[in-house]
Amino acid sequence: MKILIVEDEHKMAEYLRKGLSEQGCTVDLAANGIDGQHLAIWHDYDVIVLDAMLPGLDGFSVLRSLRILKQTPVIMLTARDRVEDRIKGLHDGADDYLIKPFSFLELLARLQALTRRGRAQEPAQLRIGDLQIDLLSRKALRNNTRIDLTAKEFALLAIMARRQGEILSKTAIAELVWDMNFDSNTNVVEVAIKRLRAKIDAPFSQKLLHTIRGMGYVLEPRATAHDGEGG
Amino acid sequence: MKNSIIARLVIMFAAAALIIFSLIGSVLYAVVDNELLHHERNSLVTTFKDIEYMVSRAGTTERWAHVQVKLDTLTPADGKVRFWIFSDDPRFGYGKDLAELHEFANHPNNLGRMSIKGKKYPLHTLTRILPAYLDRPAIRLTVGVDAASYFETLRTFVAAMTGLSLAGVLLVILCGYWIARTGLQPLKKMSDKAQTLSPKTLSERLTLSALPDELSDLAQAFNGALDRMENAYKQLEAFNADVAHELRTPLANLIGETQVALSRERSAPEFESVLQSNLEEMDRLRSIINDMLFLARCDQGEAATGLVHALIADEVQKTMDFFEFVLDETGMRVEISGDTHATALIETSLFRRALTNLLQNAIQHSPAGACIEVAIDAKNHGVQIAVSNPGEPVEQGHLPRLFDRFYRVDTARRDINGIHGHGLGLAIVKAIALMHGGSVFAASTGGVTTIGFTTARF
C-alpha cells in the first residue's frame, strides 16, 4: 500500500511513517500543504493522510484542488472535533476523518477499511492455526473439537478472526460487537476476552488470543508462547 | 446627571410645584378680581342711586340748572367720578366729552367699561335710562368711576403672585434636592457596600436588615445573584483543581516511569513493559480529555442531533447485552420493569452511553449476586429511566452532587475491578439528559440507590 502523509508536526509524521512502513506500506512525507498538493497530484497513492492545519496551504484547500483531478481516498486529521469542521472536510471530498489525539490502531484500521473497499467477498470459513470458524453455521472447532460459544462470544471471535493479525482496541471491539461507539470506561471487553480465552485457548497449548497491553487484542497463531499476557 | 434619580425627582418636584402654584394663583386671582369688582360696583351703584334720585326729580329747566351745578360740585377735581347725561333735548344734557358718549348711546342699560382719552385705565360705568318727567324728556344717565386702583391692585397681585410662585418653585427645588438626597441615602450606602465586594470577599453579602423595604427586594435579588456566582466560582475553582489532579496523576506516572526506565540500562522487555504502561496512562489522559470536551460542548448548549423514535426497552436491552459477561461474572441480574412499550425521540448512541454509565455505576456499587432494576416510565412525550441497585446507602447530602464533575462520594474508592473511574460518568449522564431536554435525579432509601434521568423532548 502506497501512502502519502501530509503533516507538519514532525514527530507525528515520523512515527506514522515508521508505523506504517512496519505494516508493509510505502510512505511518502510532505511537511506543508504546497508540497503535499504537488505530491498528491503528480503521484499515485492508495490513500492520503492529510492534516487540516498546514503551513502554506491548509488541508481543505489541498483536498479541493486534488478532487478536481483525482479520487484518491483521503483521511483528514484534525485537532478540532466540532461537527462543522467534520462536515466541511467531508463536504470537500474527504473519505474519512480522525480527531487528534487518535490511536495509531484506529488510523491503521481505517486505512485498511478505505483500501479494502471493493475487495472480493469474505470466505465463509476462517482458519487461524488449528482453529476453524464457520461463519455460516456459526460453529467454531479446534483440533476438530467443537467449542461451545454463546452468540456474543461467537460474534467476538468472528470479528477477531476476520481481522486476524490486526490489533483491535477495546473501543473498536465494543463498537464492532455491541455497537457501542463511545469510550465506555467499563471492563466489559476484558471480561469478554477472558471468557473467550477460557473457551478457545485454555485447553490448548498453542495460544491464539493475545493481549497487547495498552493497545488491545489480536487473534493470530504465534510461533513462541511469549506474549504480553498482562491484562 | 441624565439618569440621576435625584435630578429626576427634583425636576418632578419643581414641575409639581409650578403646577400647584399656578393653580392657586389663578384661583386667587379670580377671587380677588371678583371681590374688587364687587366692591367697585357697589360704590358705583351707591353713587348712581344718589344722583339718580336727584336727576329724576328735576323736571324743569330751572331745576336742571340746579342739578348741573350740583353735579359739577360732585365731580371731583381728579376726575375719579364722572357724570354724563344724554338727552334728545340738548338742554337736559350734562358732562364733558358728550360726543364720545354718543357711541355708548345704545350701550346696554347696565354696567360697563369705558375708555377715555388721556386715562391709563378704563372707567367702570353704570348707565340707566330715566323716564321723562314734567318738561324733561327721557334721559340717559351714566356714572363713571375711575378704575385705576382696581387695575393697579390686580397688576400688583399678579406680579406678587408670580414672584412668590417662582421663589416657591426655587425653594421646592432646593428642598427637593435635599429630600431626594437624604431619601436615597440607603441606596448610596448599598452601592458603597456593593463596591467593596470583590472576588476575595465572595462570601460577603449586603445586610438586608439595615435596608428599607423598597431596597431589600433588590438587595435580596443581588445577594441571590452573588450566591449563584459564588457557587459557580467555587465550582470552577474545584473543577480546575480536579482537572489538574486528574491529569496530573497519569502525567506523573508517565514522567516517573519513563525516567526510572531511562536511568539504568534496561532490557528490551523491560522497556516494552514501560511503554505499555505509558500507553495505558496516555489512554487514560485521552479518555479524560475526550469526556471533558464532550461536557464542554454540552455546556455550550449543543443539543442532541439525529434524534429518532426508539423503543426504550430495546435500547436498555442492548445496553444490558453489553454488560452480559460482566453481570454473569458477578452473578448479578438486571430486570427491566415499567413501560416496556415506551418510545421516545432520542439519539441512540448518546442514550446508550448514558445507560452504560448508569449500569456501570450500579454494577460497581452493588454486592455480588445483586439484582439491578431498570424502570422505564413513559412521561408526557419523554421517558424516565431509573436504575436501582442495592448497596450502601448514599448520604442525602451527596445525592444532588453525584452528577458534579469529578465528584466522588468516597474519595478512596477509585479503581474498582480494575476500572479507572475518573468521576465523569454521571456528569456525562446529566449532560446527555440535558441534551435531550431532560434532567437527572438520585435517591437512596432502604439500602437501594436509584439514579436516573429523563428525556423530555417534543
Side-chain angles (χ1 to χ4, degrees):
Chain A
M1 189 162 33
K2 205 174 168 202
I3 299 173
L4 170 66
I5 294 169
V6 190
E7 167 64 67
D8 62 321
E9 169 70 32
H10 180 68
K11 250 185 157 174
M12 182 177 278
E14 274 308 322
Y15 91 70
L16 285 179
R17 187 202 348 231
K18 193 172 177 215
L20 291 170
S21 300
E22 281 170 8
Q23 294 292 321
C25 303
T26 314
V27 180
D28 282 350
L29 282 186
N32 61 62
I34 298 160
D35 292 352
Q37 188 185 36
H38 181 84
L39 285 169
I41 290 171
W42 295 105
H43 294 79
D44 285 324
Y45 293 99
D46 293 316
V47 63
I48 296 170
V49 178
L50 183 61
D51 188 17
M53 307 253 276
L54 285 169
L57 196 62
D58 73 60
F60 297 114
S61 309
V62 174
L63 184 59
R64 274 194 298 273
S65 52
L66 174 69
R67 278 290 170 262
I68 297 169
L69 299 162
K70 286 183 163 185
Q71 288 306 314
T72 317
V74 170
I75 293 185
M76 294 285 291
L77 298 182
T78 169
R80 289 179 296 183
D81 67 340
R82 292 178 58 87
V83 181
E84 300 94 88
D85 295 322
R86 285 184 243 164
I87 289 171
K88 187 170 156 43
L90 294 175
H91 182 81
D92 286 347
D95 298 87
D96 205 347
Y97 60 88
L98 264 181
I99 295 144
K100 290 178 184 175
F102 55 88
S103 113
F104 180 73
L105 289 182
E106 198 177 349
L107 175 68
L108 199 61
R110 290 189 190 220
L111 285 173
Q112 278 162 347
L114 269 182
T115 49
R116 195 161 39 214
R117 272 181 204 164
R119 265 193 216 171
Q121 247 195 331
E122 284 179 295
Q125 292 265 340
L126 293 168
R127 192 175 185 92
I128 302 111
D130 57 354
L131 175 68
Q132 264 181 296
I133 301 163
D134 189 328
L135 294 173
L136 291 178
S137 62
R138 306 183 72 78
K139 276 183 201 151
L141 297 166
R142 205 164 170 189
N143 274 342
N144 295 321
T145 314
R146 170 84 182 266
I147 299 167
D148 193 23
L149 295 173
T150 67
K152 277 286 177 252
E153 285 163 356
F154 185 84
L156 174 61
L157 178 64
I159 276 156
M160 304 227 39
R162 277 202 195 98
R163 291 158 189 247
Q164 56 179 295
E166 212 177 287
I167 301 168
L168 285 176
S169 70
K170 282 188 252 177
T171 317
I173 292 172
E175 184 170 352
L176 291 167
V177 179
W178 290 278
D179 197 16
M180 294 285 171
N181 49 356
F182 46 85
D183 277 351
S184 58
N185 201 32
T186 62
N187 60 342
V188 168
V189 176
E190 286 98 317
V191 173
I193 292 286
K194 201 169 98 186
R195 287 171 73 105
L196 188 60
R197 183 173 276 148
K199 288 187 178 176
I200 67 163
D201 269 352
F204 307 96
S205 59
Q206 194 196 16
K207 306 298 176 196
L208 296 175
L209 187 50
H210 310 281
T211 302
I212 315 293
R213 198 178 149 210
M215 290 177 83
Y217 306 95
V218 62
L219 189 66
E220 65 182 0
R222 283 185 177 177
T224 60
H226 166 78
D227 64 52
E229 226 46 38
Chain B
M1 282 290 271
K2 100 176 141 106
N3 280 322
S4 148
I5 292 180
I6 292 181
R8 283 161 55 120
L9 282 178
V10 166
I11 288 168
M12 284 192 284
F13 278 143
L18 199 64
I19 291 168
I20 290 166
F21 286 138
S22 303
L23 273 173
I24 290 175
S26 306
V27 171
L28 276 182
Y29 179 83
V31 168
V32 168
D33 183 27
N34 200 37
E35 280 303 304
L36 281 176
L37 209 57
H38 188 66
H39 184 76
E40 288 270 309
R41 285 193 177 147
N42 273 351
S43 72
L44 185 63
V45 167
T46 312
T47 316
F48 190 89
K49 287 251 168 83
D50 289 349
I51 304 301
E52 185 189 29
Y53 179 76
M54 185 179 73
V55 171
S56 65
R57 305 194 31 124
T60 58
T61 41
E62 295 83 46
R63 269 193 84 88
W64 191 256
H66 188 70
V67 165
Q68 281 178 328
V69 173
K70 183 86 178 170
L71 286 175
D72 281 344
T73 58
L74 280 174
T75 305
D78 59 6
K80 282 217 165 131
V81 183
R82 301 275 295 266
F83 309 96
W84 294 276
I85 297 167
F86 177 76
S87 165
D88 290 339
D89 185 343
R91 287 178 303 165
F92 292 96
Y94 178 80
K96 274 200 281 184
D97 312 318
L98 250 180
E100 279 177 45
L101 215 62
H102 278 285
E103 290 171 34
F104 294 87
N106 298 317
H107 201 272
N109 180 18
N110 217 321
L111 292 158
R113 269 179 198 180
M114 183 171 72
S115 297
I116 291 183
K117 271 187 208 158
K119 283 256 177 203
K120 199 174 167 190
Y121 301 108
L123 283 82
H124 283 136
T125 60
L126 182 60
T127 305
R128 207 165 277 173
I129 290 171
L130 304 179
Y133 182 66
L134 299 173
D135 296 345
R136 179 175 62 79
I139 56 161
R140 202 179 136 109
L141 171 63
T142 298
V143 177
V145 176
D146 181 70
S149 67
Y150 163 79
F151 283 110
E152 284 290 338
T153 310
L154 276 186
R155 205 178 62 92
T156 315
F157 177 81
V158 169
M161 201 61 216
T162 312
L164 275 175
S165 296
L166 288 179
V169 168
L170 202 70
L171 210 65
V172 166
I173 287 175
L174 291 174
C175 287
Y177 178 71
W178 180 79
I179 289 169
R181 242 181 57 140
T182 316
L184 292 176
Q185 205 63 42
L187 196 65
K188 174 98 172 60
K189 274 187 195 154
M190 188 170 117
S191 101
D192 286 347
K193 173 76 184 156
Q195 274 184 349
T196 62
L197 300 177
S198 75
K200 281 180 193 148
T201 55
L202 262 182
S203 52
E204 269 194 47
R205 295 288 179 273
L206 300 177
T207 34
L208 292 177
S209 56
L211 289 171
D213 292 346
E214 290 85 350
L215 285 182
S216 70
D217 280 352
L218 174 66
Q220 218 160 356
F222 186 74
N223 282 349
L226 284 180
D227 280 342
R228 288 193 291 279
M229 268 174 61
E230 188 187 357
N231 277 339
Y233 196 84
K234 278 187 178 160
Q235 237 171 24
L236 197 68
E237 272 189 340
F239 180 66
N240 284 342
D242 285 337
V243 168
H245 178 78
E246 286 299 327
L247 296 180
R248 186 184 279 161
T249 315
L251 273 178
N253 291 350
L254 274 174
I255 294 169
E257 254 189 304
T258 310
Q259 284 173 340
V260 168
L262 292 173
S263 63
R264 290 249 172 91
E265 265 193 31
R266 309 268 173 204
S267 66
E270 277 176 303
F271 274 124
E272 197 180 326
S273 153
V274 170
L275 281 178
Q276 284 171 335
S277 162
N278 282 359
L279 202 53
E280 283 171 357
E281 292 305 316
M282 287 184 280
D283 207 44
R284 206 163 134 191
L285 284 174
R286 186 192 53 83
S287 164
I288 295 172
I289 290 168
N290 280 351
D291 284 352
M292 278 170 56
L293 274 177
F294 179 83
L295 291 171
R297 277 212 303 277
C298 179
D299 285 347
Q300 282 163 17
E302 194 170 293
T305 49
L307 295 169
V308 290
H309 274 289
L311 193 62
I312 299 304
D314 263 9
E315 297 302 320
V316 176
Q317 186 61 51
K318 279 178 188 163
T319 314
M320 269 170 55
D321 289 348
F322 182 52
F323 284 103
E324 183 191 324
F325 295 141
V326 176
L327 292 169
D328 219 24
E329 195 163 75
T330 51
M332 295 185 199
R333 285 180 301 131
V334 176
E335 274 179 10
I336 305 178
S337 68
D339 197 342
T340 48
H341 298 289
T343 62
L345 258 188
I346 53 167
E347 187 180 338
T348 49
S349 87
L350 288 178
F351 192 85
R352 278 186 218 166
R353 187 172 183 177
L355 268 177
T356 304
N357 287 358
L358 284 180
L359 274 177
Q360 170 71 32
N361 185 69
I363 291 169
Q364 247 174 301
H365 295 101
S366 299
C371 177
I372 295 164
E373 189 191 341
V374 180
I376 304 167
D377 191 3
K379 299 219 155 188
N380 26 340
H381 307 301
V383 71
Q384 176 183 300
I385 313 287
V387 178
S388 310
N389 67 285
E392 282 175 41
V394 182
E395 270 177 49
Q396 293 299 313
H398 288 304
L399 287 174
R401 300 206 55 201
L402 286 178
F403 300 97
D404 288 357
R405 285 155 209 197
F406 299 119
Y407 190 77
R408 287 191 187 85
V409 174
D410 179 3
T411 44
R413 196 156 60 180
R414 304 288 295 260
D415 297 351
I416 301 170
N417 304 329
I419 301 162
H420 298 291
H422 46 64
L424 290 176
L426 291 180
I428 285 174
V429 172
K430 185 180 181 182
I432 290 171
L434 291 177
M435 284 169 116
H436 285 86
S439 56
V440 288
F441 54 90
S444 180
T445 44
V448 175
T449 305
T450 304
I451 301 178
F453 67 102
T454 61
T455 73
R457 194 172 256 271
F458 318 115

